[in-house]
Structure formats: C-alpha cells, structure tokens
Amino acid sequence: MKNKLPTLILFLLISCTAEKISNVKYSTTPDALRHYHQGWVQIMDEGRYGEAEVSYRKTLEYNPDFLVGKSVLARLTLDLEERLKLYEEIQEKKNTVTGDESLILEVYTSLVKYTNLRDQGSADTKNALQEALGIAERNLRIVIHKYPEEVYLKAEYFEILNSLYGPKQALDSLDALTTISQKDNPFLLGFSASMHAELEEYAIAMNQANRLLEVVNDSTLPKTFAVLADVYFQMGSLEIAKRNADRANVLDPKNIDASRLKEKINQAIEEQAATTLPDIE
C-alpha cells in the first residue's frame, strides 16, 4: 500500500476577505486566515515549501491560538522537537474548536501524531498511520460534501483514498467529485498525472503534466518539475526524471516531494548501473 500523506490548499486570491477565502468557518482573524491560505497555495500549487513555512509562522503571529494553522505548521516543520511541542499545545486546547473546523483539526493532528511516532521510531507508528488515514477518510468525506467548492479539501481526500485504496479509486473519485473548473487546479493536475503514471497510463499522464505546464506557466516554481520527475520516474526514464527532480530541489530545497524523488531516482540509477556492470574475470 502506498502511504502518500496528504497535503491540501485553497486556491484563491489572497487579497480576498476572510469570508471569501473560505466557506469553512475558521475561528481566527482575517489576517491569520490570509497567510494560512497563502501557505497552502505555496505548497500545493507552487511547490514552495520553504515560503509556505514562512506564511504559516506569520499566521501564528497574527493568531497564536489558531489551532488548525498550528497543526499545519506542525505537519510542515522538519524539527521533531518543535513538532512535539506544537502537538502538545494543540492537545491542550483542541476542545475549544468546534463544528466542521474540529473535523479538519482532528485530521491534521492525527497525521502529526503519526509523523512524531515515525520520527521517534515508535512501535506504534503503523497503527497510528492506519488510525490517521481512517479519521481523514471519514472526516474529509463529510467536509467535502458539505463544502463542494473547497477544491483542496477534496484534494486531500483524494490523496487519502490513494493511500488506502490505490490510484484507481482516487482517480474515480476525482472525476466524480470535481467540477469542470476544478479540473485545471494545479495540484489536481499534478496528482492526476502521477496517478495515471502509476497505473501505467503514460500517455494520459504526460497530457496531464503538459497541461500543468500550461496552467502554471512559471519556470521558477518547483511544482511542475516535481510532477514531471515523478511521471518520468514511473515511466523508467531515469535521467530525465533526475534532471527534473534536481531542478525542483534547487528551486526549493525544502520541497519534500522533490527531495524524496531525488532519493528514489538516485537509488534506481545506482541499481541500474550495478546490474549493467561487466563481470570482471
């Protein structure tokens, strides 16, 4: 089973008011919410994890008690000690969050718990992952049907389905639950390309990746190169995959997708080279 942990954003103009940024009623200030959504755009549509971390820290400067924002920072930071501290702070106040916001918070905190246990080498890691995926599937299903316009809550749901059931069910749900206008969302285009490549539907995968290039139309953003790296890697075109992964990594060294891809691609290249070395007599 592929455990591709989710991530989500709301692709909206950051100059909008809090009410227009999201239909979910988050218990925070307009300025905090603006930076919160800006961070998701930077992660998901642009692949700029480093810039997103800055945005989430600004979110908490405006409202240190915005627990959903704190939970997303906890998901993003690579500092285990900071993540443990953030998780503890959220647990102390989680009962102050109600309604649909509490469903989202429960998803995020369960994923933070899993990541903490994983990084600590805990024997409970596997159980924590299954628990987090189950919570995410249940809660996000409720939220996306209540707020069908929230495209990146849908995106996270599709990632969860892929983790639990594989790319075919994730793509079927994507086709059924997204509107025509949402089909061209950068994250969903990249996700679709990767899922089709995993199913060995390479022509469709490349069409989706090329459409992503057209929609993003910005060679300074890591997103498109990370997606191309993944598609080419699954096609077995390792050198092209490596060039794209390296470029994404240069554009943002904190891009987790690009970093993980670089490791997988380099390992595959090394294994390929080892199998083609001539025997020495």
Side-chain angles (χ1 to χ4, degrees), residues 8 24 100 103-104 136-158 161 173 177-178 182:
L8 79 127
V24 179
D100 299 319
L103 296 178
I104 296 170
E137 182 185 14
R138 180 190 69 229
N139 288 12
L140 291 176
R141 183 191 297 118
I142 294 170
V143 173
I144 68 167
H145 283 91
K146 189 170 182 179
Y147 304 98
E149 70 287 344
E150 301 286 355
V151 62
Y152 287 97
L153 287 171
K154 288 182 180 180
E156 184 129 34
Y157 181 62
F158 302 147
L161 293 181
S173 294
L177 295 174
T178 53
Q182 290 171 345

Side-chain angles (χ1 to χ4, degrees), residues 239-274:
E239 291 301 328
I240 302 176
K242 177 176 170 55
R243 289 199 296 272
N244 281 284
D246 287 345
R247 187 165 181 181
N249 186 253
V250 167
L251 289 170
D252 183 6
K254 289 190 174 183
N255 185 302
I256 298 171
D257 297 328
S259 298
R260 290 173 177 169
L261 275 169
K262 274 175 61 70
E263 293 179 6
K264 291 196 299 184
I265 293 166
N266 288 336
Q267 181 179 353
I269 290 174
E270 290 175 4
E271 292 174 354
Q272 186 181 71

Side-chain angles (χ1 to χ4, degrees), residues 80-271:
L80 174 60
E81 292 304 315
E82 179 183 31
R83 198 185 313 122
L84 289 167
K85 183 175 182 294
L86 291 169
Y87 180 78
E88 182 179 348
E89 291 173 356
I90 293 166
Q91 292 300 106
E92 289 175 355
K93 296 183 177 180
K94 65 181 182 180
N95 291 334
T96 64
V97 177
T98 60
D100 299 319
E101 183 181 14
S102 69
L103 296 178
I104 296 170
L105 180 63
E106 186 183 19
V107 173
Y108 295 173
T109 52
S110 67
L111 291 166
V112 173
K113 176 183 176 181
Y114 153 71
T115 305
N116 287 342
L117 291 173
R118 182 198 65 192
D119 289 359
Q120 291 173 308
S122 171
D124 292 330
T125 300
K126 184 176 180 180
N127 289 336
L129 175 58
Q130 293 308 307
E131 180 183 17
L133 292 174
I135 290 170
E137 182 185 14
R138 180 190 69 229
N139 288 12
L140 291 176
R141 183 191 297 118
I142 294 170
V143 173
I144 68 167
H145 283 91
K146 189 170 182 179
Y147 304 98
E149 70 287 344
E150 301 286 355
V151 62
Y152 287 97
L153 287 171
K154 288 182 180 180
E156 184 129 34
Y157 181 62
F158 302 147
E159 287 190 301
I160 292 296
L161 293 181
N162 179 51
S163 296
L164 289 169
Y165 309 115
K168 178 66 167 60
Q169 183 159 336
L171 284 172
D172 287 346
S173 294
L174 189 155
D175 289 338
L177 295 174
T178 53
T179 66
I180 293 176
S181 63
Q182 290 171 345
K183 303 290 186 185
D184 266 353
N185 170 266
F187 173 81
L188 291 183
L189 282 171
F191 178 76
S192 178
S194 294
M195 295 301 96
H196 281 292
E198 193 170 329
L199 291 169
E200 299 184 1
E201 298 170 348
Y202 300 128
I204 299 175
M206 286 307 304
N207 285 338
Q208 293 288 295
N210 288 330
R211 179 58 184 160
L212 174 63
L213 288 170
E214 294 176 3
V215 170
V216 173
N217 193 30
D218 188 341
S219 61
T220 68
L221 299 181
K223 177 66 178 181
T224 52
F225 301 107
V227 170
L228 285 168
D230 188 29
V231 172
Y232 279 115
F233 173 69
Q234 295 190 71
M235 291 172 63
S237 301
L238 298 182
E239 291 301 328
I240 302 176
K242 177 176 170 55
R243 289 199 296 272
N244 281 284
D246 287 345
R247 187 165 181 181
N249 186 253
V250 167
L251 289 170
D252 183 6
K254 289 190 174 183
N255 185 302
I256 298 171
D257 297 328
S259 298
R260 290 173 177 169
L261 275 169
K262 274 175 61 70
E263 293 179 6
K264 291 196 299 184
I265 293 166
N266 288 336
Q267 181 179 353
I269 290 174
E270 290 175 4
E271 292 174 354

